[in-house]
Amino acid sequence: MTDARQLGDDEAAFIAAARSNDAAQFGLITERYRRELQVHCYRMLANYEDAQDMTQETFLRAWNKRESFKGHAALRTWLYRIATNACLDFLEKRNDRTPVPAELPGAGSEVRYLQPYPDRMLPEDPQESVVARETIELAFIVAVQHLPSRQRAVFILRDVLGWPASKAAKALELTVASVTSALQRARVTMREQLPGRRLDWRSPATHELSDDERGVVKSYMDAHERNDLNGLMALLRDDLRFAMLPEPGTLIVTAKDAVDGWVSGGLFQRGYDDWRCIATTVNRMPAAVLYLRTPDDPEYRLLNIAVLHIVDGKIAELTGFDATDKPWLSLPATL
């Protein structure tokens, strides 16, 4: 199909821009896909900055290959194909973008390059599968990182985006049989990494926080601001999984050890006991942003963001990130 009159509006406009070398028009057309492509790259890479870079690389490659687009596939499909292969090329060159064994015996592995994803940068259409909460939460993103890169791409294209096997095979230059085999292996790993979690990624999914989650976040922030260790302990499941990224060796798997570690590290002691918190969401998960005021400082300064996975009214997983070096989160520097 090469007759522009038979194409969709974006496809026809893209071909016209390519033929006329109209970079401005090319930019306007492809920019519409930026957010969903960036989410796709984030699922592949688990790192917001890397996802930004690979999205930009996708647009650069698309411009350089613009004359190869003939409209035989939708423009969205063509861009996803480029983005997927850009991520695969990135992963092939980086040996620091795989999970590493946790320093704590029996604690599994850590994804130290994991970064939170700001909800404001998610695609605006809540019906899009790319923003289904279950496929952007940290646990899902971490689980995907345990897949070899090709399996990862197959799994995301097939089970998250819902592409048929033939379409995924063409995008990855694989046979349909290879795609089917890779998907089966990927599903086994995902079930191992996400025991007890909802695994039907393409059926209707939740988007909003529950009242229960909002209540736990409020209680978590209140306990911090009151330096109430007992109140904080009461919010944590005994088998809490805690990590402070990207610091190595911070993974802890019991609530008591986590709280003891915070206290021994100086938190809730003089100089680290004047907190203010604000509630937010990242990765469609509840989160608390922690601000600390030290003695002789008139302002509360941005410190960490704590992302919470809440189960039956208690915090089952707490992933902390240094918030001071992540301007894309758009958090105020002081309160």
Side-chain angles (χ1 to χ4, degrees):
M1 181 171 61
T2 58
D3 185 349
R5 290 173 298 177
Q6 300 176 24
L7 303 173
D9 291 343
D10 276 1
E11 287 74 21
F14 185 91
I15 290 174
R19 288 174 176 171
S20 62
N21 290 322
D22 188 341
Q25 182 65 11
F26 169 91
L28 286 173
I29 297 166
T30 54
E31 186 64 25
R32 301 168 195 166
Y33 300 93
R34 179 180 294 276
R35 289 192 177 192
E36 61 183 278
L37 289 171
Q38 190 163 294
V39 169
H40 178 60
C41 293
Y42 176 72
R43 287 203 186 98
M44 288 286 296
L45 305 175
N47 183 284
Y48 182 82
E49 292 169 309
D50 292 344
Q52 279 188 313
D53 291 345
M54 288 306 101
T55 303
Q56 203 58 39
E57 174 67 14
T58 296
F59 291 148
L60 178 61
R61 292 187 183 192
W63 174 253
N64 291 336
K65 298 178 180 179
R66 61 192 181 279
E67 293 182 359
S68 70
F69 180 75
K70 305 299 183 183
H72 299 299
L75 180 59
R76 172 181 275 108
T77 300
W78 189 69
L79 291 172
Y80 268 94
R81 177 178 182 175
I82 295 173
T84 302
N85 284 287
C87 290
L88 290 173
D89 290 345
F90 173 87
L91 290 169
E92 186 176 343
K93 296 174 183 175
R94 297 290 294 264
N95 58 11
D96 62 341
R97 287 297 186 263
T98 56
V100 295
E103 294 183 10
L104 185 66
S109 59
E110 296 178 273
V111 179
R112 293 177 184 166
Y113 53 91
L114 177 68
Q115 291 180 336
Y117 200 98
D119 284 7
R120 65 181 179 81
M121 292 303 297
L122 292 170
E124 295 177 354
D125 183 357
Q127 301 307 313
E128 288 283 352
S129 62
V130 291
V131 297
R133 179 174 173 182
E134 287 83 349
T135 66
I136 196 67
E137 288 184 333
L138 292 181
F140 177 90
I141 298 299
V142 167
V144 169
Q145 300 306 296
H146 289 79
L147 301 175
S149 58
R150 290 280 171 182
Q151 281 188 33
R152 191 182 309 180
V154 167
F155 174 77
I156 292 170
L157 293 177
R158 293 280 285 116
D159 270 11
V160 178
L161 298 180
W163 285 22
S166 58
K167 186 175 174 181
K170 185 175 181 180
L172 299 171
E173 299 182 348
L174 298 172
T175 65
V176 170
S178 295
V179 164
T180 300
S181 175
L183 180 60
Q184 290 172 344
R185 295 195 300 274
R187 285 172 173 170
V188 169
T189 301
M190 291 298 287
R191 282 193 290 268
E192 292 172 350
Q193 293 295 322
L194 294 172
R197 297 290 185 97
R198 176 183 183 275
L199 299 177
D200 182 8
W201 314 117
R202 285 177 289 166
S203 63
T206 59
H207 300 284
E208 301 299 326
L209 299 187
S210 67
D211 291 341
D212 192 34
E213 288 174 312
R214 295 180 192 279
V216 171
V217 173
K218 184 178 184 306
S219 296
Y220 176 85
M221 294 191 302
D222 289 346
H224 258 84
E225 293 183 355
R226 297 194 313 267
N227 286 281
D228 181 0
L229 287 177
N230 290 331
L232 190 59
M233 273 292 295
L235 294 170
L236 307 176
R237 276 182 33 158
D238 291 342
D239 59 349
L240 171 79
R241 184 180 178 90
F242 165 76
M244 185 69 204
L245 297 176
E247 296 299 322
T250 60
L251 182 62
I252 295 173
V253 291
T254 72
K256 184 179 185 305
D257 286 347
V259 173
D260 288 348
W262 300 338
V263 172
S264 65
L267 295 183
F268 307 107
Q269 308 299 311
R270 178 168 174 76
Y272 290 90
D273 58 351
D274 193 356
W275 301 95
R276 289 293 180 270
C277 308
I278 59 175
T280 188
T281 59
V282 295
N283 295 75
R284 292 209 180 278
M285 299 176 69
V289 186
L290 278 58
Y291 290 77
L292 176 68
R293 186 172 69 176
T294 55
D296 303 323
D297 191 336
E299 296 184 300
Y300 292 88
R301 300 193 179 275
L302 178 63
L303 187 65
N304 296 327
I305 181 169
V307 186
L308 312 178
H309 174 57
I310 297 166
V311 178
D312 297 330
K314 289 208 169 187
I315 299 169
E317 297 171 21
L318 195 165
T319 308
F321 298 93
D322 179 357
T324 62
D325 62 348
K326 296 174 177 57
W328 70 83
L329 292 176
S330 296
L331 298 170
T334 59
L335 291 181

